[in-house]
Amino acid sequence: MSAIVSTLGFPRIGPRRELKTALESYWSGKTTARNLLDSAAALRAANWARQHASGVTHIPSNDFSLYDHVLDTSVMVGAIPRDYGWTGGAVSLDTYFAMARGSRGGNGSDHGDYDSHGRGLPALEMTKWFDTNYHYMVPEFTPGQQFSLASTKPVDEFVEAKKLGHATRPVLLGPVTYLLLGKSRAANFDRLSLLPGLLPVYAEVLRRLATAGADWVQIDEPALVLDLDDRTRAAFKTAYAVLAQEAPRIRLLLTTYFGALGDNLETAIRLPVAGLHLDLVRAPEQIEAAIAQVSVNSVLSLGLIDGRNVWRADLSAQLDRIERVTKRRGIDMLILAPSCSLLHVPVDLDQETEIDPDLKSWLAFAVQKVDELTILGRALNAGRAAVASELAAAGKAAAARKESTKIHDAAVQRRLAAVTPEMARRRKPFEERRRTQKASLPLPVFPTTTIGSFPQTDAVRRARAAHAKGTLSDAEYTAFLEKETETVIRWQEEIGLDVLVHGEFERNDMVQYFGEQLSGYAFTKHGWVQSYGSRYVRPPVIFGDVSRPKPMTVEWSSFAQSLTKRPMKGMLTGPVTMLQWSFVRDDQPRAQTCRQIALALRDEVVDLERAGIGIIQIDEPAIREGLPLRKADWKAYLDWAVECFRLAASGVADKTQIHTHMCYSEFNDIIDSIGAMDADVISIETARSKMELLDAFSTYRYPNEIGPGVYDIHAPRQPAVEEMTDLLAKARARLTADQLWVNPDCGLKTRKWEEVRPALVNMVEAAKRVRNAAAR
């Protein structure tokens, strides 16, 4: 027998972001649905061919998605909320994208559905996929929810691959995890009560896959690494007993990732599945218990190559680990795999021709990680001598990285050692600061603002590209940015916003812009990963100790403030988000790297204050996503995460108002830590949840000020004044009037001006109406 090499999923986006181009061309009406589907098919074919050529023996199918794999599962099982008008049969692309993005209604050209009054529809709620920076569309369930097979996508793509000569292993999101990822607006609704109605759809898909010739099916149940109660564990037993009985010809690979099975291991090993995948990057210790307890008749899939980070593996060390397992189980009952889907890493390192050669030698993207797996497979099958040069190269890179002077900065280490607890505390408590701030910042009740960025138009992108190529001089580029900044400030004044922002036209990305100005960071040209839909990000790589050589934002914030008498916010990305949205060095604790970033940002905050900026926003949208998946590990993380925010924010005087922003989060279980951050104002995403996310702040009796989002910026629609006033009324029912700010859910960088202008005009009008009503 030969070692099986598999991947659990490959990046969907294409080496040159081909999926983004196809989607946005379709959404804008420039191309047809047929064009979009043809582009998608070409990407799938290329991914299968690439993995086949590399030597992967278990190639996944149905890992591709036009938007999101959880949304695809909702469509597969017919979980389409009533608002979208689906009455059975095939789900149209318009309905699919309306669920993903919302729709504009009758006044726009965007594809999409409408409600019974001809208005645009909001998108499904979106939140983080476990503790990653990928976002999924949250399924919506109702009591008595009926499921039916509404899409045969898993079967269709298996057949599609088969016709191209690839025998693939279809991927399904498991039924229990799918239900646990969903929500219902009904109070105290038990999502697992829907399991009996859901399982027949899964069983039908498995039967159809068997008929089409599938042997193995990968069924992802990452919920098994969470804290589960006995009832949830029983749901897994029920689900897989049914699926094994209904589709006996299919061999199921139960796939877990992002952590250890821990106390759920016994549940997993007792399920009637043919194989079990373990994440041995996040939880290497679980291999011993698995070897001891998993039946010798079951296949073990070893998640050895990191699917969430970009560091090259020491293949000899990995081979040592594998060989210890093979001595006890044999090669024929093992699969070599990444820890999770490669969705979370960029596509191909070979595209990076300008990165530092030493750093490049330490990295591996999806294509290179597949190569690493096949090298390990060849070593097992033919012996180490067959891949001696590859093993030697990997070992040499690991040793060079460990010893490199590019990584360690003695000055940063000395400063970190000198940090005291007092440095992470404001001088006065919030109520005293609040009185001082109200005197220095005379704002109306329900003050209006935005989260930071304004639309990055084609003109802005062209100017940035021309400047990068050298065809636009520094002086010309600066003049262009100054004009854009002044234009957006004048427009904000015109519509009556109370606290202004400068628009961030000089910034490419909220993490990259800062990372490019910090030591210890490096950047790629093509290292894109999917955040959601066609929104891709290019995370920086934190390879060494972090410090700030010079001020990063003071010049532009000072220029913007000089143009207006209204308060201008200084805009920074917080230390936890700078960490979470980067590929982080794995040679020291994450907390230590985060503290280094916090000290660099502390210097920037102090310099902004000295420059006359009285409101400074330190965005932390990623603080919730960093939570460990097991609650037992939360306190340690939250302690250092909150400390890092406060370390960045606490160097200023009481009159300086510190804001923070969070999005895509459920706040109930971390509300104590949000309170401990002690930001003067927090703005949060609440529009899609209809202000439900404020319940945590209300129950907690959050004392500081809050800006609940009233405008969902992730959809191309413009909410009416009445919709926003309704949302503010719901917010007012939960919080006091003097606590509330009025703002969009998030920054406006990805939206178009024709969407933003009417939406913000409506938002300002909504604030005026609520303000007037409060005065009566």
Side-chain angles (χ1 to χ4, degrees), residues 430-449:
F430 170 70
E431 283 302 329
E432 293 185 44
R433 299 198 307 269
R434 189 184 206 181
R435 288 193 291 271
T436 302
Q437 290 164 13
K438 285 190 178 297
S440 61
L441 295 167
L443 297 171
V445 67
F446 302 106
T448 55
T449 190

Side-chain angles (χ1 to χ4, degrees), residues 722-741:
E722 292 75 17
E723 183 178 335
M724 295 190 194
T725 55
D726 287 346
L727 289 174
L728 288 170
K730 292 177 180 178
R732 179 65 185 84
R734 293 167 167 88
L735 299 164
T736 62
D738 62 352
Q739 282 184 283
L740 288 170
W741 286 61

Side-chain angles (χ1 to χ4, degrees), residues 224-376:
L224 277 165
V225 306
L226 305 177
D227 293 317
L228 302 179
D229 57 25
D230 289 341
R231 188 169 182 279
T232 306
R233 294 189 185 104
F236 279 102
K237 296 174 185 177
T238 298
Y240 286 88
V242 169
L243 297 182
Q245 181 178 356
E246 294 293 324
R249 293 163 52 193
I250 289 290
R251 291 194 284 180
L252 294 179
L253 177 68
L254 182 71
T255 309
T256 66
Y257 40 79
F258 302 152
L261 283 164
D263 54 357
N264 299 321
L265 176 60
E266 184 177 355
T267 297
I269 65 177
R270 291 181 182 275
L271 298 179
V273 296
L276 175 65
H277 174 81
L278 303 173
D279 183 339
L280 300 180
V281 174
R282 282 292 188 91
E285 72 285 351
Q286 65 180 331
I287 186 60
E288 290 301 322
I291 291 173
Q293 298 181 51
V294 174
S295 167
V296 294
N297 297 316
S298 294
V299 170
L300 270 182
S301 174
L302 308 181
L304 297 161
I305 299 298
D306 195 344
R308 299 235 345 229
N309 213 334
V310 293
W311 300 106
R312 185 175 182 177
D314 184 340
L315 296 180
S316 292
Q318 292 289 10
L319 198 53
D320 290 343
R321 297 176 67 194
I322 298 168
E323 288 172 344
R324 287 195 293 270
V325 179
T326 60
K327 288 177 182 178
R328 299 164 67 178
R329 292 187 68 91
I331 292 177
D332 57 330
M333 299 304 287
L334 294 181
I335 296 175
L336 306 183
S339 59
C340 61
S341 170
L342 298 175
L343 168 72
H344 307 288
V345 295
V347 178
D348 188 1
L349 182 64
D350 286 347
Q351 295 186 100
E352 303 300 330
T353 59
E354 299 177 25
I355 199 167
D356 177 83
D358 287 340
L359 177 58
K360 186 174 181 178
S361 74
W362 305 336
L363 301 178
F365 292 176
V367 169
Q368 288 70 41
K369 289 176 183 291
V370 171
D371 290 341
E372 288 180 328
L373 286 165
T374 58
I375 291 167
L376 293 173

Side-chain angles (χ1 to χ4, degrees), residues 319-499:
L319 198 53
D320 290 343
R321 297 176 67 194
I322 298 168
E323 288 172 344
R324 287 195 293 270
V325 179
T326 60
K327 288 177 182 178
R328 299 164 67 178
R329 292 187 68 91
I331 292 177
D332 57 330
M333 299 304 287
L334 294 181
I335 296 175
L336 306 183
S339 59
C340 61
S341 170
L342 298 175
L343 168 72
H344 307 288
V345 295
V347 178
D348 188 1
L349 182 64
D350 286 347
Q351 295 186 100
E352 303 300 330
T353 59
E354 299 177 25
I355 199 167
D356 177 83
D358 287 340
L359 177 58
K360 186 174 181 178
S361 74
W362 305 336
L363 301 178
F365 292 176
V367 169
Q368 288 70 41
K369 289 176 183 291
V370 171
D371 290 341
E372 288 180 328
L373 286 165
T374 58
I375 291 167
L376 293 173
R378 287 164 55 203
L380 285 182
N381 294 332
R384 293 192 183 217
V387 290
S389 61
E390 291 92 335
L391 297 179
K396 181 179 179 181
R401 179 184 169 209
K402 185 176 181 179
E403 298 169 1
S404 175
T405 56
K406 296 179 180 179
I407 291 177
H408 306 291
D409 185 330
V412 173
Q413 297 295 334
R414 285 193 299 271
R415 188 179 183 197
L416 193 61
V419 170
T420 64
E422 290 73 26
M423 292 174 66
R425 289 197 288 265
R426 296 290 294 272
R427 299 172 193 178
K428 297 286 180 62
F430 170 70
E431 283 302 329
E432 293 185 44
R433 299 198 307 269
R434 189 184 206 181
R435 288 193 291 271
T436 302
Q437 290 164 13
K438 285 190 178 297
S440 61
L441 295 167
L443 297 171
V445 67
F446 302 106
T448 55
T449 190
T450 62
I451 302 304
S453 60
F454 270 86
Q456 297 255 326
T457 63
D458 288 341
V460 171
R461 288 191 289 267
R462 284 196 300 269
R464 182 181 299 130
H467 180 249
K469 293 176 182 176
T471 57
L472 192 67
S473 70
D474 289 349
E476 290 169 327
Y477 186 48
T478 298
F480 170 82
L481 293 174
E482 287 178 345
K483 182 179 179 182
E484 292 291 311
T485 301
E486 181 168 8
T487 298
V488 80
I489 289 172
R490 297 292 171 244
W491 184 76
Q492 290 175 84
E493 291 175 327
E494 178 186 331
I495 68 169
L497 284 167
D498 299 305
V499 174

